[in-house]
Amino acid sequence: MNLLTPPMGWNSWNTFGSNISDELIRETARIMKEKGYLDAGYEYIVIDDCWSLKQRDENGRLVPDPEKFPHGMKDLADYVHSLGFKFGMYSCAGVQTCAGYPSSFDHEFVDAQTFADWGVDYLKYDFCNFPASADGKTRYATMSMALKVTGRDILFAACNWGTDEPWKWMKSLGVHMYRSTGDIQDNFNSFSKIARSQLDKFCMSGPSCYNDIDMLTVGMYGKGNVALGQACTDMDYQTQFALWCMLGAPLMLGGDVRNMKPFAEQLVLNKGLLRINQDAEGRVPQVVYYGRVINNDYDPETGTWWRDYPDSGLTLFKHMSDHEFAVGYFNFAPKSADIPFIFADAGLPYGSGYALHLTDAITGEDLGAHQDYFHIKLESHACRVLLAKLVKA
């Protein structure tokens, strides 16, 4: 399997948790087809934990819960495939899944063949209930080999939460994407901390093996399985999705796409942002600014006219195909702030004689040509993403 761009799809966990069923998956697939998600690139429909019975059958194979999935997994996979999607499922490197269902430790080869027989195209592979005496790297290598033995192309989405610095070795094991952090929650602090924790590690992500910073919570609005803390606003979701796109992370939706609000639906289908995430060169961005922002409004807490917020401003610069670039500005501070971009920090000093012609990636607004710098004032939690082309000054 040759993954030239980050995988895209939908996963059941963030919204539905254990409340999954054959009907839910079929309806989700139909809606995603009808609303253009597949055409936009969201090709994987993935069932997460809680899909099986609590015991294996007499042949040691996993058994789908007949109440949740009365027609079995092969029939469901066939239906998902008939709509043009690819079908994904969940297991775990430990002896039980995170929710306590039978898992694949010492069952790797039989489970991999079971998944292949069912028509699975994607395996999310978690790390709960893993024996302290076992070696995580070896067990991920074992499942990778077990998937290869089946002869079926199955995307291997390892999920070990960043244990043992997976960005250093997952690619060498044949893994296609790897979870590098703990679980996401549907609030600003959660997703922003997750993304920022990986800024110095995305340099090891790219074609064939991608750093996975978890499923998106866009469109949940405080409802669902990971709806913990203060619910996100539209602005929060735009910042989350823009971060994932700029970083080149996999885009696995976690909201209920059957009932997505118009803002969220238009956001995840935005052609400008998806173009950045799915650019043919598959490059990760350069961090040209990550540091303090100073707000000059009066702060009654300190009695001063300014307040310093460390590590609250972020500017990313991304090389793309066809001599194009993307620039992402992010304000993580609780106040509005100016987010800087000095072109020399991206390799384009004033003395070069060149400028950047800027266009808003989300709205398409033409911002004209600029030399030397282009700073943007952003509201708290806001972002701005621009496309840029070199022009003679």
Side-chain angles (χ1 to χ4, degrees):
M1 178 179 291
N2 189 16
L3 288 178
L4 298 179
T5 58
M8 297 172 59
W10 175 87
N11 179 289
S12 63
W13 184 255
N14 281 1
T15 294
F16 298 101
S18 62
N19 297 316
I20 52 176
S21 67
D22 180 281
E23 182 181 0
L24 170 68
I25 303 306
R26 290 175 192 259
E27 186 179 5
T28 296
R30 286 196 301 271
I31 293 296
M32 288 181 69
K33 176 79 168 184
E34 292 168 5
K35 292 193 173 184
Y37 286 85
L38 179 60
D39 291 339
Y42 295 99
E43 62 177 337
Y44 290 99
I45 305 288
V46 182
I47 301 171
D48 211 283
D49 203 352
C50 307
W51 58 266
S52 75
L53 293 179
K54 288 293 183 77
Q55 299 293 329
R56 292 172 177 267
D57 69 12
E58 64 277 9
N59 298 313
R61 292 182 177 267
L62 296 166
V63 182
D65 185 331
E67 291 189 7
K68 294 179 178 180
F69 300 97
H71 308 294
M73 287 302 176
K74 178 66 167 64
D75 187 82
L76 181 55
D78 288 346
Y79 179 79
V80 169
H81 291 152
S82 74
L83 296 179
F85 292 98
K86 295 180 180 178
F87 182 65
M89 293 190 67
Y90 169 99
S91 190
C92 187
V95 297
Q96 288 180 301
T97 71
C98 298
Y101 291 81
S103 196
S104 294
F105 186 87
D106 263 356
H107 297 271
E108 290 91 348
F109 284 85
V110 67
D111 287 356
Q113 189 59 56
T114 298
F115 296 141
D117 292 344
W118 288 343
V120 169
D121 308 292
Y122 177 118
L123 176 65
K124 176 182 172 182
Y125 202 55
D126 222 334
F127 200 54
C128 288
N129 298 302
F130 190 79
S133 59
D135 178 71
K137 272 189 214 179
T138 299
R139 286 297 171 169
Y140 278 101
T142 301
M143 179 52 85
S144 180
M145 195 63 72
L147 293 172
K148 297 293 193 307
V149 164
T150 69
R152 183 175 180 81
D153 273 344
I154 300 176
L155 188 153
F156 189 14
C159 177
N160 85 329
W161 323 318
T163 306
D164 297 326
E165 302 179 309
W167 44 86
K168 293 183 177 179
W169 48 270
M170 279 291 192
K171 186 173 184 177
S172 68
L173 301 187
V175 170
H176 301 106
M177 52 190 272
Y178 54 89
R179 266 279 300 284
S180 51
T181 69
D183 289 355
I184 198 169
Q185 298 171 5
D186 184 29
N187 62 71
F188 180 84
N189 287 336
S190 174
F191 80 72
S192 63
K193 286 180 180 179
I194 282 174
R196 286 184 281 173
S197 76
Q198 297 301 298
L199 290 177
D200 62 342
K201 302 174 181 69
F202 262 94
C203 60
M204 289 173 271
S205 177
S208 79
C209 189
Y210 295 89
N211 188 336
D212 174 18
I213 48 178
D214 211 351
M215 291 91 70
L216 293 150
T217 65
V218 174
M220 291 183 62
Y221 295 102
K223 298 179 180 179
N225 189 49
V226 300
L228 303 173
Q230 184 174 354
C232 287
T233 64
D234 286 347
M235 186 179 292
D236 293 338
Y237 285 139
Q238 182 162 293
T239 293
Q240 181 185 152
F241 193 68
L243 272 170
W244 265 238
C245 287
M246 281 295 301
L247 290 169
L251 301 179
M252 299 300 295
L253 303 175
D256 184 355
V257 295
R258 304 170 307 165
N259 301 294
M260 196 81 86
K261 290 183 179 179
F263 177 87
E265 183 172 289
Q266 291 167 18
L267 176 64
V268 299
L269 294 174
N270 183 274
K271 292 182 179 180
L273 292 177
L274 291 178
R275 177 180 167 198
I276 292 169
N277 180 266
Q278 295 290 298
D279 183 68
E281 289 199 6
R283 296 185 185 275
V284 296
Q286 174 190 358
V287 178
V288 295
Y289 183 78
Y290 181 43
R292 62 193 295 211
V293 299
I294 296 176
N295 183 276
N296 293 317
D297 294 334
Y298 180 72
D299 185 353
E301 292 183 20
T302 62
T304 65
W305 283 95
W306 62 272
R307 190 167 182 177
D308 190 353
Y309 298 98
D311 298 335
S312 289
L314 173 66
T315 310
L316 301 173
F317 183 82
K318 183 170 185 171
H319 287 253
M320 296 170 60
S321 55
D322 299 324
H323 304 290
E324 193 168 24
F325 310 94
V327 190
Y329 301 77
F330 301 89
N331 178 20
F332 303 113
K335 299 280 188 177
S336 61
D338 290 312
I339 309 300
F341 176 32
I342 298 172
F343 295 175
D345 289 333
L348 192 70
Y350 183 86
S352 68
Y354 281 84
L356 289 177
H357 189 278
L358 303 173
T359 305
D360 190 296
I362 298 175
T363 67
E365 178 187 0
D366 189 333
L367 302 175
H370 299 266
Q371 271 188 289
D372 208 11
Y373 65 90
F374 191 77
H375 307 327
I376 293 181
K377 187 176 185 65
L378 292 175
E379 296 299 314
S380 172
H381 294 193
C383 73
R384 191 85 183 268
V385 181
L386 309 179
L387 292 168
K389 283 186 175 290
L390 288 166
V391 294
K392 194 73 175 175

